Amino acid sequence: MLMELSRAGDGKGFGATVKSVEPVFDFMLDKLVGSYDLFNPRAILPSKGRPLCIIAAHGPLTAPLAGMAIIGRLYVDKGLGDMVAGFYPHPALFWLPGMNKIFSRIGTPTKVYDATTLVELLKSGKMDVAATAPEGLSCHFTWDEYVGPLRSGGMIETAIRADADLCLYTHLGGEAWAIELKLPLGLSLPMTRGLQGLYIPLPPVRKISRYSIYCKRFAPLLTRARLEKLSSRERHMAISLEMERVRNELNLMTDELKRRIAKKG
């Protein structure tokens, strides 16, 4: 199957070139985002000759979309429009009217939802950048930290196995695309790792006044050589530890993002 894939990224389930999606993210930034900050953009630029995996904080269901538009704009401005990228959204996004058509248009890798195939695409150079927000179902709830428990470690495993660079980014401002309902007095439900309420997602139609992103490279402690020697059970446990490290780092980055926003004014 992989031998049949074109390097161009045709937007039919195997990613798409960044420049082919330019009209979509230009529309989002023009109509749906008032202003934006992109702190430490160099971290999310691919290194020459190496694939890049991106893990984003999620927040409400549709909140990462503006961030991906901002990153897409950065890539085009830096002359990287021919790169093939694939962004893996939460499957629940396809429940919203029109979302399935939009994501098919922008090259969501709907035919590459397993780590092994994605690793082959990245290592072969048929895909340059892969991104996701691995909180999954956690994005429907609010937590005692901005970033909820991660539900999938697939992108972490992919980065390790593909010898790819890994960049994390957190964001603020996308909460405008949700209604937040929290328990009174800052209470959390017991035995839930800090669940405090829920988000009711809204379609991304209300204009965000200001959207801010902070990017940072992240190095897993687990190496490919070590991963390949582990049993299935040991691999699961090792990836779970990396997932906790990623979540902790994203929450620290969110705190740093708040400081940077306040300093910029």
Side-chain angles (χ1 to χ4, degrees), residues 76-91:
V76 170
D77 290 347
K78 294 293 185 179
L80 301 172
D82 288 323
M83 291 196 313
V84 176
F87 173 51
Y88 291 84
H90 189 297

Side-chain angles (χ1 to χ4, degrees), residues 56-64 89-93 95 133-143 145-151 171 174-175 177-180 195 197-202:
H58 210 304
L61 180 63
T62 54
H90 189 297
L93 274 170
W95 303 343
E135 286 165 70
L137 289 174
S138 295
C139 79
H140 296 295
F141 304 96
T142 65
W143 306 83
E145 300 276 8
Y146 184 77
V147 180
L150 305 191
R151 306 279 295 188
H171 53 83
E175 300 81 13
W177 291 345
I179 298 172
E180 183 179 3
L195 193 152
L198 58 86
Y199 285 120
I200 299 176
L202 301 173

